[in-house]
Amino acid sequence: MMKNACVLIWTLAALSAAEVGSLLERRRQKMSVFSSSSSSSSFSSSSVRSGGICLNGGTTVKSLMTGKHMFCLCAGGFEGKRCETVKHAHCYEGVGLYYRGSVSKSESGHTCKDWDSDTREQYLSSDVNSGRHNYCRNLHYRRRPWCHVWKNQQLVWEYCDIPRCSFEPFPGPPAPTPTEPEPAAEMTCGQRTRRKQMKIVGGTVATVESHPWVAAIFWRSKSKEKVFRCGGSLISACWVLTAAHCFPDGSQDKEHRFSVTLGKNALNESDLIMEQTFRVEEVIVHEGFDNSEGNFNNDIALLRLKPKHGTCAEENNWVKFVCLPPPQQSLPPGATCEIAGYGKERYGLWYKSQYLREAQVNLLNDDVCRHTYYYDNMLTENMFCASRPDWSQDACEGDSGGPLVCEVDNRLFQFGVISWGDGCAKQSRPGVYTKVTNYNHWIQEKTGLTSITAGATFPYK
């Protein structure tokens, strides 16, 4: 039933776009957190607040034909037919941004104080009872759920006594039969230590073990300030794949001002055990990169990392290589893939996510993405589109250059580079990705690397 509903809303979304008109806003680069439809206009024509049908900040999705309620789109932390059930009430996932349980004691045993009206209005409007409670929550991107308590006659904040939800280790590939050894990269690429976190509408905080190939690219200003520039992906020990539009001056961009950090969970925190940081030795922007039409054609670039003591990235639980698919390989429309990055959680926010976030998207048929009500002739043969049927998850500003990966034979292959789009999680405006399989020969020419298929069987051409 849910599957049919998703297919129906996918069709209705296009009808709604026709009613609104086909005028495209000027494309803006998609350098996202993964926007939630409940906090944007993504469902403006097909859903409204529930008026009591959907609980806990849920949104009712209505049929454009009958105007009747079809199903509830639940806010983060809730599930059920009417969004009446709290997910994982006894523990928290990730760093607990979507924890909606009722624990109200701090680690020191103090009782939490009620959240004040300003906090409720700004952060807890979709929470239980609109935030009129004293339950632990993780606001302001701290490490885990917390609350305010009275301690030594002062109101202070403390972390709460809540366990983190357990996870099942990601199953490794079957043991190979004794044959001649493969190159190290082919044996290890595309594997992660930890299964991805529970999917929440609008994306969720992820641990870097779930996406160990994700790279954070920083730029150092003349005032020595270190500024996050773009995402990327580790394709070998000394090479990072990213987007060309991250480098306004092309290959002439001063490489000594760039650095790359691998194994990074949070932009505003450092972990010397997990992270590996390298200076950039060379910036290679594709010679055919062109934004004269506002659509970032050939939006792909490579960064060569500067070795330390003769070596670059070393694989461990937090740092691994992603696999590259064979040339011209494609997956069928509708295939589910993953995106990850440190970008904004919602279009229009002034700040980026401080934590690595992930979302799932489905590949769109090229004919659909080239439809008048989508991107018309803006799409070239070097691009493809991906989105959610309900437009609830997407990349956004700050995610540019990051990977879109798809699982084949228990390994993750990078099929796309996050490139551009019109807004974030916007109806009929899917994310646009650089088609990596069009550039295998270019990557090989610049790096000496070949496609790493790791023995995977690709059932599609």
Side-chain angles (χ1 to χ4, degrees):
M1 180 66 181
M2 191 62 183
K3 181 179 179 181
N4 292 337
C6 286
V7 172
L8 178 59
I9 195 65
W10 183 251
T11 305
L12 295 180
L15 293 175
S16 174
E19 293 172 354
V20 174
S22 61
L23 181 62
L24 291 176
E25 296 178 9
R26 181 170 179 80
R27 306 316 190 271
R28 63 184 303 277
Q29 73 184 45
K30 198 174 270 202
M31 290 180 146
S32 164
V33 147
F34 311 126
S35 298
S36 169
S37 59
S38 62
S39 57
S40 70
S41 60
S42 302
F43 269 94
S44 59
S45 60
S46 59
S47 66
V48 294
R49 285 295 173 188
S50 63
I53 299 175
C54 305
L55 306 176
N56 296 313
T59 301
T60 179
V61 178
K62 294 185 176 182
S63 167
L64 289 178
M65 296 179 182
T66 65
K68 293 182 179 180
H69 167 81
M70 291 195 301
F71 59 89
C72 290
L73 189 65
C74 299
F78 299 99
E79 60 186 354
K81 188 175 181 180
R82 299 183 61 203
C83 308
E84 72 279 6
T85 305
V86 177
K87 291 182 180 179
H88 297 276
H90 62 288
C91 61
Y92 67 92
E93 291 275 356
V95 294
L97 287 182
Y98 297 97
Y99 171 75
R100 292 296 182 268
S102 57
V103 173
S104 56
K105 290 277 187 183
S106 72
E107 282 185 325
S108 63
H110 289 77
T111 300
C112 299
K113 305 303 295 181
D114 287 348
W115 298 101
D116 62 84
S117 58
D118 289 342
T119 300
R120 293 200 307 267
E121 182 178 349
Q122 189 169 1
Y123 300 105
L124 300 174
S125 59
S126 64
D127 206 314
V128 177
N129 199 24
S130 299
R132 292 181 177 84
H133 56 67
N134 67 335
Y135 304 148
C136 301
R137 296 290 184 260
N138 186 4
L139 311 180
H140 312 309
Y141 297 107
R142 293 196 166 115
R143 291 180 181 272
R144 58 184 188 274
W146 58 276
C147 69
H148 287 110
V149 298
W150 281 107
K151 198 171 183 180
N152 299 326
Q153 299 183 336
Q154 287 186 321
L155 189 65
V156 298
W157 71 269
E158 280 191 353
Y159 288 119
C160 293
D161 187 19
I162 308 172
R164 186 174 181 178
C165 299
S166 60
F167 65 92
E168 297 178 5
F170 188 77
T177 55
T179 57
E180 291 188 15
E182 297 175 277
E186 293 195 9
M187 293 175 61
T188 60
C189 79
Q191 298 180 59
R192 51 185 166 203
T193 309
R194 174 175 291 183
R195 186 184 296 274
K196 60 184 181 292
Q197 299 289 334
M198 173 183 62
K199 179 175 71 66
I200 297 178
V201 170
T204 181
V205 169
T207 58
V208 74
E209 295 101 313
S210 304
H211 307 274
W213 34 81
V214 168
I217 301 171
F218 293 90
W219 178 76
R220 192 173 73 256
S221 67
K222 290 183 179 179
S223 62
K224 307 300 182 183
E225 182 184 7
K226 192 176 179 181
V227 181
F228 175 73
R229 171 66 66 86
C230 274
S233 55
L234 188 68
I235 60 173
S236 76
C238 290
W239 289 98
V240 167
L241 187 66
T242 184
H245 76 255
C246 296
F247 308 94
D249 296 327
S251 296
Q252 305 306 312
D253 241 320
K254 297 178 180 178
E255 61 274 350
H256 67 272
R257 288 197 173 180
F258 290 95
S259 63
V260 172
T261 299
L262 309 167
K264 194 167 191 62
N265 269 320
L267 291 181
N268 62 346
E269 299 175 10
S270 295
D271 189 321
L272 298 180
I273 296 177
M274 298 168 58
E275 295 178 10
Q276 300 179 38
T277 299
F278 299 89
R279 301 290 292 272
V280 172
E281 191 169 59
E282 185 180 10
V283 176
I284 303 176
V285 172
H286 195 280
E287 301 81 1
F289 174 62
D290 178 19
N291 191 35
S292 60
E293 301 295 327
N295 62 350
F296 295 141
N297 195 24
N298 294 307
D299 193 13
I300 194 167
L302 288 160
L303 301 182
R304 186 205 298 265
L305 305 183
K306 189 172 185 178
K308 292 181 178 179
H309 311 294
T311 60
C312 296
E314 296 182 2
E315 286 194 286
N316 54 34
N317 286 347
W318 309 286
V319 176
K320 293 183 183 295
F321 313 137
V322 69
C323 298
L324 297 180
Q328 304 306 318
Q329 177 66 53
S330 63
L331 294 178
T336 299
C337 300
E338 302 171 20
I339 51 178
Y342 305 92
K344 294 182 180 180
E345 294 184 45
R346 189 171 66 250
Y347 179 71
L349 290 182
W350 62 271
Y351 58 88
K352 295 181 176 67
S353 173
Q354 290 302 309
Y355 291 92
L356 179 66
R357 297 174 68 84
E358 66 180 13
Q360 290 185 332
V361 291
N362 300 104
L363 304 184
L364 268 66
N365 187 297
D366 283 350
D367 290 340
V368 172
C369 204
R370 289 189 171 94
H371 194 278
T372 306
Y373 303 123
Y374 286 73
Y375 287 128
D376 203 4
N377 60 358
M378 296 289 289
L379 215 66
T380 74
E381 294 299 321
N382 298 317
M383 310 169 190
F384 66 89
C385 295
S387 181
R388 291 292 291 174
D390 58 6
W391 308 103
S392 62
Q393 298 183 20
D394 194 10
C396 198
E397 186 178 351
D399 286 324
S400 279
L404 176 144
V405 299
C406 313
E407 187 171 344
V408 180
D409 265 9
N410 295 319
R411 292 182 187 272
L412 280 301
F413 289 79
Q414 182 172 355
F415 280 83
V417 175
I418 297 174
S419 182
W420 63 278
D422 182 11
C424 309
K426 187 176 179 181
Q427 184 173 297
S428 301
R429 300 294 181 265
V432 182
Y433 301 82
T434 304
K435 190 181 295 184
V436 172
T437 53
N438 281 11
Y439 300 92
N440 293 69
H441 296 305
W442 180 79
I443 293 172
Q444 182 176 358
E445 176 191 339
K446 301 300 182 183
T447 67
L449 301 172
T450 56
S451 299
I452 303 173
T453 60
T457 300
F458 285 84
Y460 309 102
K461 296 294 184 184

